[in-house]
Amino acid sequence: MGTKFYFIFLSFLACICAIACDKGSAGVEMYTPPIMEESGSYGIIAHRGNWDASNPQNSLSAFKRALELNIYGTEMDVHQTKDGLIVVNHDVSFYGLPISETTYAELCKHTLDNGETIPLFEEFLQVKKNRAGLVKMIVELKSCKVNDLIALVDSYDLQNEVEYISFSANLCNEFVALGYGYKTYYLRGDVKPTEIKGRGYGGVDYYSGVFDANPSWIKESKYIGLKTIVWTVNNMEELSCYVQQGVLVTTDRPLEALEVLKQQ
């Protein structure tokens, strides 16, 4: 009778642990505080800035608002214009104009919803130069030359403030060849952590569904020293669970995420 009760009790504890975090199968072994020890910030990345109806995604104003938060980083997308300037925009086109085939002056004939022109990446760097050491810039390469991007970052001496992400393995390999592999994270989600490590990338930045399909990858990534990021998580319960596992979380709702994590 006593032995039977003991096993029933163990089963009950197992159920409680599973309920506490749906990602338990991903290898959660202990609670990780939401504050990151190395930076003193919360493990949140603002997806395309801290945007709202008045501050569009990837706008300079959304970027400035993200820098005011106590979070790990803010993400942005970059492209290169026909005349070689690097701009921040999610899509490959702006008002139907292919960015790579259009000059910056032509793009500026159109504005974002708040009246701003399409921002230059250099404008972001100019703002960041005065706020070094706080929120990192997480830059996704869409259509941009790696050498030109790094040269621009280096010109502002912000090498330690910028990290890079890409769906393209070729672009990630270029960063590795230039000595920036340690701060380059792969997005596509089709490569297991050990292979990522072998390629010389600094980490994985995978869609949440990838980790759902491969529940051991979070633990494996962290065990071999890869930075582990998940995108784009807007459910606060799910977000909290990832943070507890020491995973950086990219979200469209950084303000709400901060309020949730502060209560833990």
Side-chain angles (χ1 to χ4, degrees):
M1 183 68 176
T3 302
K4 182 178 180 180
F5 176 80
Y6 175 73
F7 283 108
I8 292 174
F9 177 70
L10 288 182
S11 298
F12 173 76
L13 286 180
C15 290
I16 291 297
C17 290
I19 292 171
C21 182
D22 290 337
K23 305 299 178 185
S25 59
V28 179
E29 295 181 344
M30 59 169 48
Y31 174 74
T32 299
I35 292 283
M36 301 181 65
E37 292 183 4
E38 66 271 25
S39 63
S41 61
Y42 288 89
I44 296 298
I45 297 172
H47 188 223
R48 305 176 197 166
N50 181 16
W51 53 270
D52 59 17
S54 302
N55 302 277
Q57 297 182 8
N58 276 322
S59 64
L60 185 59
S61 58
F63 174 67
K64 290 178 178 178
R65 294 177 77 236
L67 294 183
E68 297 172 355
L69 305 178
N70 185 28
I71 58 176
Y72 180 82
T74 181
E75 184 262 359
M76 64 210 66
D77 310 275
V78 296
H79 303 264
Q80 202 156 10
T81 65
K82 182 179 180 179
D83 48 345
L85 297 177
I86 300 175
V87 296
V88 181
N89 192 67
H90 180 264
D91 296 340
V92 296
S93 62
F94 185 67
Y95 279 88
L97 300 170
I99 293 174
S100 62
E101 302 172 14
T102 309
T103 66
Y104 181 65
E106 291 174 308
L107 293 174
C108 285
K109 293 178 181 178
H110 305 275
T111 61
L112 303 176
D113 291 342
N114 65 345
E116 295 180 21
T117 56
I118 184 171
L120 289 168
F121 179 62
E122 187 167 8
E123 294 180 278
F124 281 39
L125 293 174
Q126 290 168 350
V127 172
K128 187 70 177 75
K129 183 67 175 177
N130 296 321
R131 303 189 185 187
L134 300 175
V135 181
K136 291 186 180 297
M137 299 172 69
I138 313 298
V139 181
E140 180 180 348
L141 270 73
K142 291 293 185 69
S143 56
C144 177
K145 295 178 181 177
V146 171
N147 281 321
D148 290 349
L149 180 64
I150 288 180
L152 189 55
V153 172
D154 287 351
S155 71
Y156 282 86
D157 196 26
L158 289 172
Q159 300 92 333
N160 294 328
E161 307 295 326
V162 182
E163 298 176 357
Y164 306 98
I165 57 177
S166 180
F167 280 96
S168 168
N170 290 333
L171 289 177
C172 289
N173 292 338
E174 285 189 50
F175 279 110
V176 172
L178 292 169
Y180 287 86
Y182 68 98
K183 57 180 359 178
T184 301
Y185 318 126
Y186 185 58
L187 285 167
R188 191 166 296 280
D190 58 348
V191 180
K192 60 185 180 181
T194 51
E195 187 174 342
I196 290 291
K197 184 76 170 180
R199 293 183 183 184
Y201 305 165
V204 295
D205 188 348
Y206 287 168
Y207 173 61
S208 59
V210 172
F211 289 128
D212 289 339
N214 302 276
S216 67
W217 280 12
I218 290 177
K219 184 176 181 180
E220 291 174 15
S221 296
K222 294 180 70 60
Y223 181 76
I224 59 178
L226 294 176
K227 183 161 287 184
T228 312
I229 309 172
V230 61
W231 58 270
T232 300
V233 181
N234 294 322
N235 177 284
M236 291 301 110
E237 183 178 352
E238 184 180 5
L239 180 146
S240 179
C241 193
Y242 276 117
V243 171
Q244 289 177 25
Q245 297 176 71
V247 177
L248 290 169
V249 183
T250 302
T251 181
D252 292 315
R253 299 157 66 180
L255 292 176
E256 184 177 349
L258 279 174
E259 288 305 312
V260 170
L261 295 180
K262 286 176 182 178
Q263 294 174 14
Q264 294 184 356

